[in-house]
Amino acid sequence: MAKYYGGCDLGSTTGKAVILKDGEIVATACIRSKIDPVETGREVLNLAIQQIDDLEKVEDLEKLVGTGYGRNEVPFADENVSEITCHAVGAHFCDNNIRTIVDVGGQDIKAIALSDTGSVLEFAMNDKCAAGTGRFYEAVVRTFDLSLDEFSALSLKAKKIVPVTSQCTVFAESELVSLLYKRNSPADIAAGVQLSVAKRVFTLARRVGVKPGVTVTGGCSKNIGLVKALEKTLRTPISLLSTDPQLTGALGAAVLASRNGSG
Protein backbone atom coordinates (compact mmCIF):
# COMPACT_ATOMS: atom_id res chain seq x y z
CA MET A 1 0.00 0.00 0.00
CA ALA A 2 1.24 3.49 -0.84
CA LYS A 3 2.59 5.53 2.04
CA TYR A 4 1.42 9.09 2.58
CA TYR A 5 3.17 11.68 4.73
CA GLY A 6 1.49 14.78 6.12
CA GLY A 7 2.47 18.22 7.33
CA CYS A 8 0.12 20.51 9.24
CA ASP A 9 0.96 24.18 9.88
CA LEU A 10 -1.34 25.81 12.43
CA GLY A 11 -0.65 29.53 12.10
CA SER A 12 -2.24 32.48 13.85
CA THR A 13 -4.62 33.25 10.98
CA THR A 14 -4.67 30.13 8.78
CA GLY A 15 -4.26 26.37 9.01
CA LYS A 16 -2.45 24.62 6.18
CA ALA A 17 -1.95 20.96 5.26
CA VAL A 18 0.22 19.22 2.69
CA ILE A 19 0.36 15.49 1.90
CA LEU A 20 3.28 13.86 0.08
CA LYS A 21 3.53 10.51 -1.70
CA ASP A 22 6.85 9.34 -3.16
CA GLY A 23 8.27 12.82 -2.69
CA GLU A 24 5.48 14.51 -4.65
CA ILE A 25 2.73 16.81 -3.39
CA VAL A 26 -0.59 15.00 -3.84
CA ALA A 27 -2.94 17.14 -1.73
CA THR A 28 -3.04 20.57 -0.09
CA ALA A 29 -5.55 22.61 1.90
CA CYS A 30 -5.70 25.99 3.60
CA ILE A 31 -8.44 27.36 5.88
CA ARG A 32 -8.99 30.28 8.22
CA SER A 33 -7.90 29.40 11.77
CA LYS A 34 -10.64 28.66 14.25
CA ILE A 35 -10.59 29.40 17.98
CA ASP A 36 -9.72 25.77 18.72
CA PRO A 37 -6.42 24.74 17.05
CA VAL A 38 -7.38 21.07 17.31
CA GLU A 39 -10.49 21.78 15.25
CA THR A 40 -8.44 23.75 12.73
CA GLY A 41 -5.93 20.93 12.38
CA ARG A 42 -8.54 18.22 12.05
CA GLU A 43 -10.56 20.17 9.47
CA VAL A 44 -7.67 21.24 7.25
CA LEU A 45 -6.18 17.74 7.25
CA ASN A 46 -9.53 16.19 6.42
CA LEU A 47 -9.89 18.58 3.48
CA ALA A 48 -6.53 17.39 2.15
CA ILE A 49 -7.28 13.72 2.83
CA GLN A 50 -10.57 13.95 0.92
CA GLN A 51 -8.50 14.59 -2.21
CA ILE A 52 -6.88 11.13 -2.00
CA ASP A 53 -8.92 7.98 -2.69
CA ASP A 54 -6.56 5.74 -0.62
CA LEU A 55 -7.06 7.71 2.59
CA GLU A 56 -10.05 7.97 4.88
CA LYS A 57 -8.77 9.62 8.07
CA VAL A 58 -5.77 11.35 9.62
CA GLU A 59 -4.63 8.14 11.28
CA ASP A 60 -4.12 6.56 7.82
CA LEU A 61 -1.09 8.82 7.25
CA GLU A 62 2.21 6.99 7.67
CA LYS A 63 3.54 9.94 9.66
CA LEU A 64 2.35 13.47 10.42
CA VAL A 65 4.48 16.42 11.54
CA GLY A 66 2.90 19.51 13.07
CA THR A 67 4.31 23.03 13.00
CA GLY A 68 3.27 26.64 13.58
CA TYR A 69 1.91 28.43 16.63
CA GLY A 70 -0.61 25.70 17.39
CA ARG A 71 1.66 22.73 16.81
CA ASN A 72 1.75 21.73 20.47
CA GLU A 73 -2.03 21.58 20.53
CA VAL A 74 -2.35 18.89 17.86
CA PRO A 75 -2.63 15.56 19.65
CA PHE A 76 -2.70 13.51 16.45
CA ALA A 77 0.73 14.70 15.17
CA ASP A 78 3.57 12.18 15.54
CA GLU A 79 6.12 14.96 15.96
CA ASN A 80 6.21 18.75 16.29
CA VAL A 81 8.90 20.87 14.63
CA SER A 82 9.46 24.65 14.74
CA GLU A 83 8.07 26.67 11.85
CA ILE A 84 11.55 28.11 11.19
CA THR A 85 12.94 24.67 10.40
CA CYS A 86 9.85 23.74 8.39
CA HIS A 87 9.98 26.90 6.27
CA ALA A 88 13.65 26.22 5.57
CA VAL A 89 13.00 22.61 4.57
CA GLY A 90 9.95 23.55 2.49
CA ALA A 91 11.70 26.34 0.60
CA HIS A 92 14.77 24.18 -0.06
CA PHE A 93 12.48 21.37 -1.30
CA CYS A 94 11.02 23.77 -3.89
CA ASP A 95 14.30 25.44 -4.87
CA ASN A 96 17.70 24.34 -3.58
CA ASN A 97 19.19 27.68 -4.60
CA ILE A 98 17.32 29.53 -1.85
CA ARG A 99 19.67 31.03 0.74
CA THR A 100 17.48 33.67 2.41
CA ILE A 101 13.82 33.37 3.39
CA VAL A 102 11.61 36.24 4.41
CA ASP A 103 8.47 34.84 6.03
CA VAL A 104 5.74 37.44 6.39
CA GLY A 105 2.99 35.66 8.25
CA GLY A 106 -0.22 36.57 9.99
CA GLN A 107 1.38 37.62 13.26
CA ASP A 108 5.14 37.90 12.81
CA ILE A 109 7.99 38.37 10.37
CA LYS A 110 11.01 36.09 10.18
CA ALA A 111 14.26 36.27 8.25
CA ILE A 112 16.04 32.93 7.85
CA ALA A 113 19.52 32.25 6.44
CA LEU A 114 20.01 28.82 4.86
CA SER A 115 23.05 26.70 4.10
CA ASP A 116 23.48 25.08 0.69
CA THR A 117 21.90 21.94 2.15
CA GLY A 118 18.84 23.79 3.43
CA SER A 119 19.81 23.85 7.09
CA VAL A 120 19.02 26.94 9.19
CA LEU A 121 22.19 28.97 9.74
CA GLU A 122 20.58 31.89 11.55
CA PHE A 123 17.22 33.55 11.98
CA ALA A 124 15.73 36.78 13.26
CA MET A 125 12.12 37.27 14.26
CA ASN A 126 9.82 40.19 14.91
CA ASP A 127 7.27 38.83 17.36
CA LYS A 128 6.74 41.81 19.65
CA CYS A 129 4.31 43.68 17.46
CA ALA A 130 2.07 43.04 14.46
CA ALA A 131 3.51 45.84 12.32
CA GLY A 132 4.04 44.66 8.76
CA THR A 133 2.32 41.33 9.28
CA GLY A 134 -0.92 39.90 7.96
CA ARG A 135 -2.77 41.46 10.91
CA PHE A 136 -1.33 44.82 9.91
CA TYR A 137 -2.46 44.41 6.30
CA GLU A 138 -5.94 43.38 7.45
CA ALA A 139 -6.24 46.74 9.22
CA VAL A 140 -4.81 48.61 6.22
CA VAL A 141 -7.13 47.09 3.60
CA ARG A 142 -10.08 47.72 5.93
CA THR A 143 -9.19 51.41 5.88
CA PHE A 144 -9.06 51.39 2.08
CA ASP A 145 -12.22 49.24 1.87
CA LEU A 146 -10.40 46.87 -0.51
CA SER A 147 -9.37 43.23 -0.62
CA LEU A 148 -5.66 42.50 -0.23
CA ASP A 149 -5.40 41.72 -3.95
CA GLU A 150 -7.06 45.02 -4.81
CA PHE A 151 -4.79 46.90 -2.41
CA SER A 152 -1.72 45.20 -3.87
CA ALA A 153 -2.78 46.11 -7.43
CA LEU A 154 -3.52 49.68 -6.33
CA SER A 155 -0.02 50.12 -4.91
CA LEU A 156 1.51 49.18 -8.27
CA LYS A 157 -0.29 52.14 -9.92
CA ALA A 158 1.46 54.74 -7.75
CA LYS A 159 2.97 57.81 -9.45
CA LYS A 160 4.99 58.61 -6.34
CA ILE A 161 5.35 57.31 -2.79
CA VAL A 162 3.63 59.03 0.11
CA PRO A 163 5.63 58.08 3.23
CA VAL A 164 3.79 56.19 5.95
CA THR A 165 5.77 56.52 9.15
CA SER A 166 3.63 54.76 11.76
CA GLN A 167 4.73 51.20 12.46
CA CYS A 168 2.07 50.47 15.06
CA THR A 169 -1.01 48.92 13.47
CA VAL A 170 -3.40 51.15 15.42
CA PHE A 171 -1.51 54.39 14.73
CA ALA A 172 -0.99 53.44 11.08
CA GLU A 173 -4.75 53.23 10.57
CA SER A 174 -5.12 56.76 11.92
CA GLU A 175 -2.28 58.03 9.74
CA LEU A 176 -3.79 56.45 6.63
CA VAL A 177 -7.17 58.05 7.29
CA SER A 178 -5.44 61.41 7.75
CA LEU A 179 -3.49 61.02 4.49
CA LEU A 180 -6.63 60.08 2.58
CA TYR A 181 -8.53 63.08 4.01
CA LYS A 182 -5.70 65.32 2.79
CA ARG A 183 -6.55 64.18 -0.74
CA ASN A 184 -3.35 62.21 -1.31
CA SER A 185 -3.65 59.63 -4.07
CA PRO A 186 -4.76 56.28 -2.58
CA ALA A 187 -2.31 54.52 -4.91
CA ASP A 188 0.58 56.68 -3.66
CA ILE A 189 -0.39 56.03 -0.04
CA ALA A 190 -0.65 52.30 -0.76
CA ALA A 191 2.86 52.36 -2.20
CA GLY A 192 3.99 54.10 0.98
CA VAL A 193 2.52 51.28 3.06
CA GLN A 194 4.37 48.68 0.99
CA LEU A 195 7.65 50.57 1.33
CA SER A 196 7.25 50.96 5.10
CA VAL A 197 6.77 47.19 5.48
CA ALA A 198 9.67 46.46 3.11
CA LYS A 199 11.96 48.66 5.20
CA ARG A 200 10.89 46.83 8.34
CA VAL A 201 11.68 43.51 6.66
CA PHE A 202 15.02 44.85 5.46
CA THR A 203 16.05 45.73 9.01
CA LEU A 204 15.27 42.20 10.11
CA ALA A 205 16.86 40.51 7.08
CA ARG A 206 20.07 42.47 7.48
CA ARG A 207 20.58 40.79 10.87
CA VAL A 208 20.93 37.37 9.22
CA GLY A 209 22.60 38.65 6.04
CA VAL A 210 20.86 38.79 2.68
CA LYS A 211 22.44 36.42 0.17
CA PRO A 212 21.25 35.90 -3.44
CA GLY A 213 18.54 33.32 -3.66
CA VAL A 214 15.91 35.23 -1.71
CA THR A 215 12.32 34.11 -1.46
CA VAL A 216 9.22 35.24 0.42
CA THR A 217 6.90 32.82 2.22
CA GLY A 218 3.76 33.18 4.31
CA GLY A 219 0.38 34.60 3.38
CA CYS A 220 1.75 38.09 2.65
CA SER A 221 3.95 36.64 -0.10
CA LYS A 222 0.86 36.84 -2.32
CA ASN A 223 0.97 40.62 -2.02
CA ILE A 224 2.80 41.39 -5.27
CA GLY A 225 3.10 45.06 -4.35
CA LEU A 226 5.03 44.05 -1.24
CA VAL A 227 7.22 41.65 -3.23
CA LYS A 228 8.12 44.46 -5.67
CA ALA A 229 8.88 46.82 -2.77
CA LEU A 230 11.08 44.15 -1.17
CA GLU A 231 13.03 43.69 -4.40
CA LYS A 232 13.83 47.40 -4.42
CA THR A 233 14.65 47.59 -0.73
CA LEU A 234 16.72 44.41 -0.58
CA ARG A 235 18.26 45.23 -3.99
CA THR A 236 17.92 41.67 -5.21
CA PRO A 237 15.35 39.70 -7.21
CA ILE A 238 12.83 37.63 -5.27
CA SER A 239 12.63 33.99 -6.37
CA LEU A 240 9.03 32.79 -6.50
CA LEU A 241 8.55 29.22 -5.30
CA SER A 242 7.00 26.54 -7.49
CA THR A 243 4.28 25.83 -4.92
CA ASP A 244 1.95 28.16 -3.03
CA PRO A 245 4.35 30.05 -0.69
CA GLN A 246 1.68 30.15 2.01
CA LEU A 247 2.04 26.36 2.26
CA THR A 248 5.84 26.37 2.72
CA GLY A 249 5.74 25.53 6.44
CA ALA A 250 3.26 22.68 5.98
CA LEU A 251 5.28 21.42 3.02
CA GLY A 252 8.46 21.41 5.09
CA ALA A 253 6.66 19.51 7.83
CA ALA A 254 5.48 16.90 5.31
CA VAL A 255 9.01 16.56 3.91
CA LEU A 256 10.36 15.97 7.42
CA ALA A 257 7.61 13.41 8.03
CA SER A 258 8.65 11.53 4.89
CA ARG A 259 12.34 11.64 5.84
CA ASN A 260 11.79 10.48 9.40
CA GLY A 261 9.10 8.00 8.55
CA SER A 262 10.74 6.16 5.68
CA GLY A 263 13.71 4.82 7.59
Side-chain angles (χ1 to χ4, degrees):
M1 180 179 174
K3 294 181 178 179
Y4 295 89
Y5 299 91
C8 184
D9 178 4
L10 297 182
S12 61
T13 57
T14 57
K16 289 81 66 178
V18 171
I19 297 177
L20 295 179
K21 174 191 171 189
D22 298 329
E24 300 288 336
I25 298 173
V26 292
T28 66
C30 179
I31 63 171
R32 187 83 180 175
S33 291
K34 303 178 182 302
I35 294 176
D36 183 355
V38 176
E39 185 181 353
T40 303
R42 183 71 69 177
E43 181 173 327
V44 75
L45 282 165
N46 283 336
L47 285 172
I49 286 170
Q50 288 170 10
Q51 300 166 31
I52 302 171
D53 291 339
D54 293 348
L55 298 178
E56 293 184 357
K57 55 187 183 299
V58 172
E59 288 74 15
D60 291 338
L61 293 169
E62 185 71 15
K63 184 165 185 178
L64 173 67
V65 169
T67 189
Y69 277 100
R71 65 181 183 275
N72 293 324
E73 306 300 326
V74 182
F76 39 85
D78 298 296
E79 183 182 356
N80 297 320
V81 179
S82 81
E83 60 266 37
I84 292 166
T85 296
C86 287
H87 275 264
V89 172
H92 189 260
F93 177 86
C94 294
D95 182 350
N96 58 21
N97 292 310
I98 298 299
R99 295 292 178 272
T100 307
I101 300 172
V102 174
D103 173 38
V104 187
Q107 193 162 281
D108 61 37
I109 301 172
K110 306 179 193 72
I112 307 169
L114 302 188
S115 71
D116 56 3
T117 60
S119 298
V120 176
L121 295 175
E122 194 172 355
F123 74 92
M125 185 172 177
N126 162 38
D127 61 352
K128 302 298 183 186
C129 139
T133 67
R135 297 289 189 195
F136 173 81
Y137 273 108
E138 285 179 355
V140 167
V141 300
R142 187 167 58 242
T143 303
F144 279 79
D145 194 22
L146 297 173
S147 69
L148 182 57
D149 287 343
E150 291 170 335
F151 175 81
S152 178
L154 178 67
S155 69
L156 296 174
K157 296 177 181 176
K159 303 295 185 186
K160 62 178 182 179
I161 295 177
V162 173
V164 175
T165 57
S166 298
Q167 291 291 332
C168 169
T169 301
V170 176
F171 292 148
E173 278 189 274
S174 299
E175 183 178 0
L176 294 179
V177 170
S178 176
L179 291 171
L180 288 168
Y181 280 8
K182 291 178 180 176
R183 311 302 294 174
N184 289 287
S185 158
D188 295 347
I189 300 171
V193 170
Q194 306 284 32
L195 181 61
S196 72
V197 175
K199 285 182 176 178
R200 191 172 185 83
V201 171
F202 172 76
T203 301
L204 204 64
R206 191 169 54 180
R207 287 162 53 184
V208 304
V210 179
K211 293 185 177 179
V214 180
T215 195
V216 184
T217 62
C220 293
S221 59
K222 297 179 179 180
N223 179 345
I224 301 303
L226 174 60
V227 172
K228 296 297 182 186
L230 284 171
E231 287 185 327
K232 291 180 181 178
T233 307
L234 297 175
R235 297 181 181 178
T236 185
I238 301 292
S239 299
L240 300 179
L241 298 179
S242 56
T243 58
D244 183 343
Q246 192 170 10
L247 300 174
T248 305
L251 172 60
V255 171
L256 290 172
S258 66
R259 288 178 185 170
N260 299 338
S262 59

